Amino acid sequence: MTSQMPTPDGRPPRRSLLPLAAIGLIALGGAAAFAWAAGWIGSSGRLTSQRFVDTIEATGADHPGFRRAHSKGVCVSGSFQGTAEGVALSSARAFSQAAVPVLGRMSIGGGDPHGADAAARVRSMALLIRTDDGQQWRMAMNSFPFFGAPTLEAFLEQTRAGIPDPATGKPDPAKMAAFLARYPQARRFQAWAESARWSDSWANTAYNGVHTFHFINTNGERQPVRWSMRPQAPFVEMDKAKREQASADYLAEELDRRLATGPLRWDMVVTLPDAGDALDDPSQPWPETRRQVTVGTLSFEQAQPQATGPCRDVNFDPLILPTGIAASDDPILAARSGVYAQSFFRREREIASGKASDATDQEASP
């Protein structure tokens, strides 16, 4: 240990403030960067998670405690079992563990937690796979085969076009027409929505990740993939007449009837791109002729209401990934992670305040 020599007048030497000042500047810079990333400062002209969620909220009525998008859903649980082909492509424990517990959520598109199932064109599956080494793999998939917007700016423009006009209470058709005129990817998505056949169940619907991820094997080799869950249950079409006659909650009711007779299963299939296929644009589908590999089987055995089920308070952030799987540079994928987090924060705050009785099936706080 060293000691400082006294000054000639007997007083202790003055310490330099430079090291403390440097530490303070570093801390201040870190705080500023965090605040900027969170959209708390300097966000007037930036696309932030807050701005996205604000815009989504403006498209419909308030529903405290519910997700801002895909608000209506049910919890499901089961397991995942990987294949040898999955082990060859990725070192993720989910592919080598015998059976991995899975918590999931089946939902429909839109922000109304009481909307009619038959009116929702998009259906969704979200998963949380928790392996025995403590890692998690979360994913969020939809029934559409590609995304409807090529950029974050286009995604926000599309959402804004859905905000009701105060004069009519409905979105302005001219704004959506202008959006469609600007983006061919959106027109392609609209064509899919108008022509694709509706299935009559969550259980016989295919769900697609649409974003590119990288599988990394034990040798460190990286393989771009896009994954899908393909149902083992045969497809049955639900035409317009049947949809018009269906109850508002027919998907959950039908799911319960199926689960009463046995597990529901999907094959997890990954598609491998060829050179030149888009890796960072989910609005660009890969040709169906690309090589496909079955890497696992997903099984659901139980379902629970969302309000009291274990999936209610889970943020299915698609960027929570285990070792052996990495995200691509897709900016929309990164934005989804931030928007999901913002939606999660807002609804959990509402639940904690006791003002979300509908979402929790509990009495509201006075």
Side-chain angles (χ1 to χ4, degrees):
M1 178 181 295
T2 60
S3 59
Q4 292 180 305
M5 295 295 292
T7 59
D9 60 4
R11 294 180 297 178
R14 300 182 62 182
R15 296 176 181 273
S16 172
L17 296 179
L18 286 177
L20 291 176
I23 293 172
L25 286 174
I26 292 172
L28 182 61
F34 182 82
W36 185 90
W40 299 337
I41 60 173
S43 60
S44 59
R46 285 193 297 120
L47 297 182
T48 64
S49 299
Q50 290 89 337
R51 181 163 296 168
F52 267 106
V53 177
D54 288 346
T55 306
I56 293 170
E57 290 178 344
T59 62
D62 293 339
H63 297 286
F66 286 95
R67 287 168 167 82
R68 271 39 181 180
H70 300 259
S71 306
K72 185 179 183 182
V74 299
C75 299
V76 288
S77 58
S79 61
F80 177 83
Q81 186 162 10
T83 66
E85 290 77 10
V87 173
L89 286 171
S90 170
S91 63
R93 177 61 178 155
F95 296 115
S96 57
Q97 185 176 331
V100 190
V102 175
L103 170 63
R105 180 175 182 266
M106 311 298 289
S107 64
I108 61 173
D112 183 356
H114 308 295
D117 292 348
R121 187 65 183 92
V122 173
R123 298 170 188 169
S124 307
M125 171 192 284
L127 303 177
L128 190 166
I129 299 176
R130 195 192 309 269
T131 50
D132 56 9
D133 60 357
Q135 297 195 65
Q136 294 188 15
W137 180 8
R138 304 190 189 192
M139 59 185 91
M141 298 163 283
N142 293 289
S143 54
F144 49 76
F146 53 86
F147 204 62
T151 65
L152 292 177
E153 292 77 8
F155 186 21
L156 184 62
E157 184 179 345
Q158 180 185 39
T159 306
R160 283 174 171 162
I163 296 176
D165 187 319
T168 64
K170 298 179 180 179
D172 183 351
K175 293 182 179 178
M176 185 57 73
F179 170 76
L180 292 173
R182 195 189 309 270
Y183 297 104
Q185 300 91 339
R187 296 196 296 275
R188 184 167 59 226
F189 187 91
Q190 184 184 44
W192 168 84
E194 293 175 349
S195 62
R197 295 187 300 162
W198 297 59
S199 68
D200 70 344
S201 172
W202 268 321
N204 59 16
T205 299
Y207 302 94
N208 307 293
V210 304
H211 301 285
T212 301
F213 292 84
H214 294 277
F215 276 4
I216 307 166
N217 65 16
T218 54
N219 296 323
E221 298 165 333
R222 298 170 68 92
Q223 171 62 60
V225 301
R226 287 181 177 177
W227 57 64
S228 299
M229 293 291 178
R230 298 187 178 172
Q232 293 186 1
F235 178 87
V236 177
E237 183 174 6
M238 190 176 195
D239 60 23
K240 183 178 180 181
K242 291 180 180 177
R243 296 199 302 273
E244 290 176 347
Q245 296 172 359
S247 71
D249 304 319
Y250 86 89
L251 282 174
E253 295 163 355
E254 198 271 348
L255 190 74
D256 286 339
R257 287 196 295 273
R258 284 181 182 259
L259 288 171
T261 64
L264 307 175
R265 294 188 174 88
W266 287 259
D267 292 323
M268 185 173 193
V269 177
V270 295
T271 301
L272 315 185
D274 278 359
D277 289 339
L279 301 183
D280 57 1
D281 182 355
S283 72
Q284 299 295 331
W286 295 347
E288 295 182 356
T289 54
R290 298 292 184 255
R291 182 187 170 204
Q292 297 181 341
V293 181
T294 301
V295 296
T297 301
L298 171 70
S299 301
F300 286 149
E301 287 95 32
Q302 295 181 322
Q304 292 178 270
Q306 176 175 262
T308 56
C311 75
R312 188 196 69 193
D313 296 327
V314 173
N315 175 17
F316 291 98
D317 182 342
L319 287 187
I320 296 180
L321 300 166
T323 300
I325 302 174
S328 65
D329 294 332
D330 181 346
I332 295 179
L333 174 61
R336 284 180 68 181
S337 177
V339 170
Y340 282 27
Q342 181 63 210
S343 173
F344 175 78
F345 171 74
R346 295 188 185 190
R347 71 174 186 269
E348 290 301 305
R349 183 174 57 187
E350 293 159 353
I351 290 173
S353 69
K355 306 299 182 184
S357 58
D358 194 18
T360 60
D361 199 21
Q362 296 178 350
E363 293 291 333
S365 298

